[in-house]
Amino acid sequence: MQDQELEMGDIAEKLYKLREQKRNLESQLKELNNKVDETEWQLIEIMTTKEMNMFKHKGIGFILNKKEFKSANKERRDELYQEFKNRGMEDLFTINANTLSGKINELRENNDGVMPEWLDGLIDISEKQYISIRKN
């Protein structure tokens, strides 16, 4: 019985130390992510100011990209649902945001790259710029 208690204590101590190590690593990762975001934003600002979409440095390509995020306007979500339902697309509200975004992209492509009028004010679109890095 005493051996089991000793083993249990050792395992408990090991678990405590591992969780402590995990907390420390998560904290370091959070700090590192903040530094990455800050540095990426600095490069985005410089590239935007210089009107550059890409450049190479030491054989590595840096490409300025934008990603759109689409979501239902919160105040008009019911109205948006009704508009999609009227057009036979009510299934979009039972699936994830990426599928909704894909459908909106498809609707825009089929409308000469312009958001259909019936979606005006019903969809919120935000953009996030980011840098792609390609090593040659």
Side-chain angles (χ1 to χ4, degrees):
M1 188 69 154
Q2 193 173 11
D3 288 343
Q4 281 184 336
E5 286 180 21
L6 183 59
E7 182 180 309
M8 186 171 67
D10 290 343
I11 293 171
E13 187 175 335
K14 181 179 179 180
L15 176 62
Y16 175 80
K17 287 179 180 179
L18 287 170
R19 286 197 178 162
E20 191 172 277
Q21 183 180 6
K22 180 182 173 185
R23 275 190 298 274
N24 289 337
L25 289 172
E26 286 171 344
S27 177
Q28 289 176 17
L29 180 59
K30 185 177 178 180
E31 285 179 39
L32 183 58
N33 282 332
N34 287 337
K35 287 178 183 178
V36 166
D37 290 345
E38 181 181 315
T39 304
E40 183 175 38
W41 184 244
Q42 289 172 344
L43 186 55
I44 288 169
E45 285 183 332
I46 293 168
M47 290 177 72
T48 302
T49 300
K50 292 185 174 213
E51 297 180 359
M52 298 174 71
N53 289 329
M54 68 168 289
F55 74 98
K56 285 188 178 181
H57 179 71
K58 295 185 177 181
I60 301 170
F62 296 86
I63 303 138
L64 182 60
N65 291 299
K66 287 183 186 178
K67 182 171 182 161
E68 283 188 343
F69 297 91
K70 300 162 190 83
S71 61
N73 181 304
K74 291 178 183 174
E75 290 86 33
R76 299 181 67 191
R77 188 171 282 149
D78 291 339
E79 189 179 339
L80 174 65
Y81 174 75
Q82 191 60 46
E83 286 290 345
F84 273 107
K85 186 175 179 183
N86 292 343
R87 289 166 171 77
M89 297 180 270
E90 62 271 3
D91 59 318
L92 289 175
F93 289 89
T94 60
I95 50 183
N96 67 39
N98 287 337
T99 305
L100 175 63
S101 182
K103 185 57 154 181
I104 292 167
N105 287 342
E106 178 186 320
L107 291 169
R108 266 199 329 204
E109 287 172 17
N110 294 335
N111 195 37
D112 297 324
V114 179
M115 183 81 73
E117 284 185 31
W118 60 270
L119 284 172
D120 283 349
L122 299 178
I123 299 290
D124 292 332
I125 299 176
S126 60
E127 286 185 347
K128 182 182 189 300
Q129 291 184 306
Y130 64 97
I131 302 288
S132 294
I133 299 175
R134 300 237 162 65
K135 192 171 183 180
N136 297 342

